[in-house]
Amino acid sequence: MTRPLKGEITVPGDKSISHRSIMLGALARGTTRVKNFLQGADCLSTIGCFRAMGIPVENNGTEVLIRGKGLHGLQAPKGILDCGNSGTTVRLISGILSAQDFSTELTGDSSIQKRPMARIITPLSKMGADIVSIRGNGCTPLRIRGQKLHGIHYESPVASAQVKSSVLLAGLYADGATQVTEPLVSRNHTELMLQAFGAQIATENTTVSITPPEELCAQEVLVPGDISSAAYFLAAGILVPGSELLLKNVGINPTRDGILRVFQNMGADITLLNPRICSGEPAADILVKSGALHGTVIEGEIIPTLIDELPIIAVAACFAEGTTVIRDASELKVKESNRIAVMTEGLSAMGADVKETEDGMIIRGGFSLHRAVIDSRLDHRVAMSFTVAGLVSDGIPDIKGRDCVKISYPAFYEDLEKLSK
């Protein structure tokens, strides 16, 4: 058991917003300035792809300048675009590339080459795109030959911000309005940023539409802290006895704040301070104090608002009184790893009472956890979740591939150590 966690922390910039700032900055006229950009491996992959297509991007570590060349200013890359471990990069950039006047190939690491891309190939093809999985397995590498695109109304079978964003970005180039309807509302960072850059966006219930603009205009973007990164400190602050943490400038977009609602439903002492709007995105400081939790049911409309936070919620549920049930979360199976299976396996090895279900987990809390060897499957969210579990267990877990946290939070271990001194 670690000593109480005390102090303030500013988590890195939001990963989703950082990705999108590069993409829209590249397609806008003028210089876009991005402050608090996430310097994680995934977002650096996005920068690398746009540099390869002739966009000057200056990254000094604290802010990023993108010298955009307009909607039709991209150039054919000299080689294959490497998206690293970033599913966001692959899926969103595919929408943009589908309309260019050149051909490209996209690939990534071994994890990306197993993640499903048919979910974007299908709607982009309906728009007239020439996009194929080179190996014919619905995964990367992808070959995209730019075409003239048509506006469509796409009814997505999954609530996925990446699918929605890919289609909306392709819609920038279509010959008419493009609409996407989801079964549930997924995170809306793309819609908010497109509006800020001058695109005409309309939203009604679970449907979003875009009308092709003549141009996008460069902006100044202040990226709020990533609530997905803050989630680990929220959980640690709740679970480690005697802790009190202030998480500064965290994005609390209502399409992303599900973890706050779930933890509060479980009895957590969480207070939002200094709420404000940060470049069109709601943000606040979050005060969290340690305390007891009780079980809950997590299902339905809230799932898309916390899909990346479910691994750390599963950890917290192990220490809650009663049973926590997670349903409707089959999307966890197609992340960097099958997070349902990996979290069930790892928590069970540590002594938790966790049962895997078809679309989630059933977790009976109140059992002491102990040290175990954990295979992170090189999944950053798995590695950080088990690190937090180790703070309140009998022994620190041996996490294989723990350095994968650099994908979204390079200084995670250092920041956590500072708070326990």
Side-chain angles (χ1 to χ4, degrees):
M1 187 78 70
T2 191
R3 64 184 66 185
L5 303 178
K6 300 282 188 178
E8 296 183 2
I9 187 169
T10 301
V11 298
D14 187 279
K15 185 154 78 86
S16 297
I17 297 172
S18 295
H19 277 300
R20 288 155 173 80
S21 69
I22 298 298
M23 296 183 188
L24 294 190
L27 301 180
R29 288 284 179 189
T31 299
T32 291
R33 183 184 303 269
V34 185
K35 298 180 179 178
N36 198 35
F37 181 85
L38 173 61
Q39 300 290 332
D42 276 10
C43 295
L44 297 180
S45 291
T46 294
I47 287 180
C49 286
F50 281 90
R51 281 176 172 163
M53 291 188 288
I55 301 298
V57 182
E58 179 183 331
N59 181 6
N60 64 19
T62 57
E63 69 176 23
V64 175
L65 297 178
I66 309 114
R67 306 194 190 282
K69 297 184 177 181
L71 286 168
H72 302 282
L74 299 181
Q75 301 169 7
K78 295 180 180 178
I80 296 172
L81 295 179
D82 184 358
C83 300
N85 186 251
S86 178
T88 301
T89 305
V90 174
R91 293 184 178 126
L92 270 62
I93 205 172
S94 292
I96 295 169
L97 293 175
S98 292
Q100 303 306 311
D101 60 359
F102 52 80
S103 297
T104 42
E105 289 187 16
L106 295 172
T107 192
D109 66 13
S110 59
S111 170
I112 281 295
Q113 292 180 25
K114 298 173 184 175
R115 295 181 66 183
M117 296 300 158
R119 53 180 50 191
I120 60 160
I121 293 173
T122 296
L124 293 176
S125 297
K126 288 179 184 293
M127 297 179 75
D130 182 352
I131 174 172
V132 296
S133 168
I134 292 174
R135 294 175 184 161
N137 61 355
C139 302
T140 58
L142 302 179
R143 180 184 298 115
I144 304 173
R145 296 184 175 94
Q147 303 287 327
K148 294 187 181 300
L149 301 182
H150 313 297
I152 63 169
H153 183 180
Y154 182 62
E155 295 197 12
S156 177
V158 293
S160 166
Q162 292 181 3
V163 173
K164 175 174 61 176
S165 299
S166 183
V167 176
L168 291 176
L169 291 172
L172 289 170
Y173 299 91
D175 59 7
T178 296
Q179 294 179 308
V180 183
T181 298
E182 302 180 281
L184 300 168
V185 176
S186 64
R187 59 185 67 174
N188 67 350
H189 302 303
T190 299
E191 298 95 297
L192 292 176
M193 192 173 290
L194 279 167
Q195 282 185 310
F197 276 74
Q200 185 177 334
I201 300 289
T203 302
E204 183 177 354
N205 298 322
T206 63
T207 298
V208 181
S209 63
I210 182 169
T211 301
E214 291 188 12
E215 65 178 6
L216 299 177
C217 299
Q219 300 293 312
E220 291 214 354
V221 180
L222 176 57
V223 182
D226 197 323
I227 194 168
S228 296
S229 295
Y232 307 99
F233 296 96
L234 283 172
I238 295 165
L239 297 176
V240 178
S243 296
E244 182 173 329
L245 298 176
L246 183 64
L247 313 181
K248 303 282 286 184
N249 191 40
V250 179
I252 54 168
N253 184 308
T255 65
R256 292 283 299 283
D257 70 350
I259 188 170
L260 299 179
R261 288 178 272 156
V262 164
F263 276 162
Q264 288 171 330
N265 289 341
M266 296 176 77
D269 187 346
I270 293 173
T271 306
L272 299 184
L273 305 173
N274 189 24
R276 55 200 179 274
I277 299 297
C278 182
S279 292
E281 292 275 356
D285 302 329
I286 305 176
L287 179 65
V288 57
K289 300 178 182 179
S290 63
L293 298 177
H294 55 76
T296 190
V297 177
I298 308 167
E299 62 184 352
E301 292 184 0
I302 201 169
I303 292 294
T305 72
L306 47 62
I307 193 69
D308 284 336
E309 290 72 69
L310 283 171
I312 189 61
I313 290 173
V315 169
C318 292
F319 299 92
E321 180 182 348
T323 300
T324 295
V325 179
I326 299 171
R327 301 191 186 105
D328 305 321
S330 56
E331 275 292 290
L332 285 178
K333 295 181 177 181
V334 293
K335 293 289 185 176
E336 283 84 336
S337 67
N338 179 340
R339 289 176 178 162
I340 294 176
V342 173
M343 293 305 300
T344 300
E345 175 187 306
L347 289 171
S348 297
M350 293 182 72
D353 184 346
V354 183
K355 178 183 177 183
E356 178 180 351
T357 64
E358 181 65 26
D359 62 351
M361 290 174 267
I362 300 172
I363 304 161
R364 195 155 62 94
F367 294 84
S368 296
L369 301 192
H370 52 73
R371 183 185 180 280
V373 177
I374 305 295
D375 185 349
S376 72
R377 306 298 205 281
L378 300 180
D379 187 326
H380 53 130
R381 304 212 186 278
V382 170
M384 288 187 277
S385 295
F386 280 106
T387 299
V388 172
L391 299 178
V392 281
S393 300
D394 297 328
I396 300 172
D398 179 5
I399 303 172
K400 302 299 183 183
R402 68 194 297 272
D403 288 343
C404 64
V405 301
K406 70 181 183 298
I407 289 168
S408 63
Y409 199 153
F412 173 71
Y413 299 114
E414 292 84 348
D415 284 354
L416 188 59
E417 185 176 356
K418 290 174 189 174
L419 296 172
S420 61
K421 289 183 177 178

